Amino acid sequence: MPHAPVAKHEPSPWAIEFRGVGRTLPSEDGPKSILTGVSGRLARGRVLTLIGPSGAGKSTLLSLCNLLQTPDMGEVFIWGREVRTWLLAELRRRVGLVMQQPVMLPGTVADNLAVPSRLHGRPQPDGYRLLQQVGLDPSLLQRPAAELSGGQKQRVALARILSNEPDILLVDEGTSGLDRESAEIMERHVRRLVASRSLTVVWVTHDLEQARRMGDETWLMDKGRVVEQGITEAFFEAPQTEIAKRFLRAGLRADRRTLAPGEEDES
Ligand SMILES: Nc1ncnc2c1ncn2[C@@H]1O[C@H](COP(=O)(O)OP(=O)(O)OP(=O)(O)O)[C@@H](O)[C@H]1O
Ligand SMILES: [Mg+2]
């Protein structure tokens, strides 16, 4: 029996798919491989937490999804289409990236929030609502963005990305400068968007508790490779590889060192 033809524009169930992705950069000691053979996929409406030691390649992997960098090997598919075949503006609207060190543009917070809609020729966003969504006081709208604290800038960067109504959100250490309460406001908001709009999220974090709270799936990266992929609960309860076991043990020890005396007995 002949196969049914595949509709050309049928949306892929996979928001993101990496197929054998590699990236090499020149260095003083010759070419240095920073990503090697990365494969994996994430369905719509799922939250992937991406963890791993510093230098593992997490930010590099994110940057391939909206073409801040291109892979030298393999392919990256967004909604079933290879990233390099997308119109860049459309790709960047639909795949929002909150960077590790967000850049504020000159002007007020309101000006910053208006940038994406101006670029994409859409009506001005409701800055008041956007700030509320990320737990910031809307009275900040008229403040020069450069005067905000690091944590406030991170949240304005998230609000700015959300004004595009992306369907994929990439967050690179988005809560690292925030106190626990502000971090949890951001987590809850992103989780609400996942539930209400089936937003797909890749969330990079060094905070293992957060990776566990936020993730449906978790990938551990090390030295440019994805060394373990799993459902988040299973990954943290019963990691399969030695490297994941060691990484989780070391992470938990590091977390304990930051606890105040007397807090250890809580967990
Ligand atoms: N522009 C660049 N030029 C040279 N090397 C780079 C460049 N960008 C990244 N690297 C190297 O690529 C590797 C992966 O970096 P990447 O920033 O993706 O790691 P990461 O997992 O995000 O680390 P961190 O947790 O510290 O943010 C590192 O060894 C880094 O030094
Ligand atoms: Mg990084």
Side-chain angles (χ1 to χ4, degrees), residues 53-60 62 100 172-173 204 206:
S54 192
K58 305 180 296 296
S59 297
T60 306
L62 285 194
Q100 216 163 350
D172 199 348
E173 292 287 342
V204 173
H206 280 279

Side-chain angles (χ1 to χ4, degrees), residues 87-110:
L87 283 176
L88 195 59
E90 173 68 0
L91 181 72
R92 297 236 170 113
R93 189 193 69 71
R94 293 188 57 182
V95 183
L97 170 62
V98 180
M99 295 207 280
Q100 216 163 350
Q101 260 124 27
V103 177
M104 290 292 105
L105 301 165
T108 63
V109 169

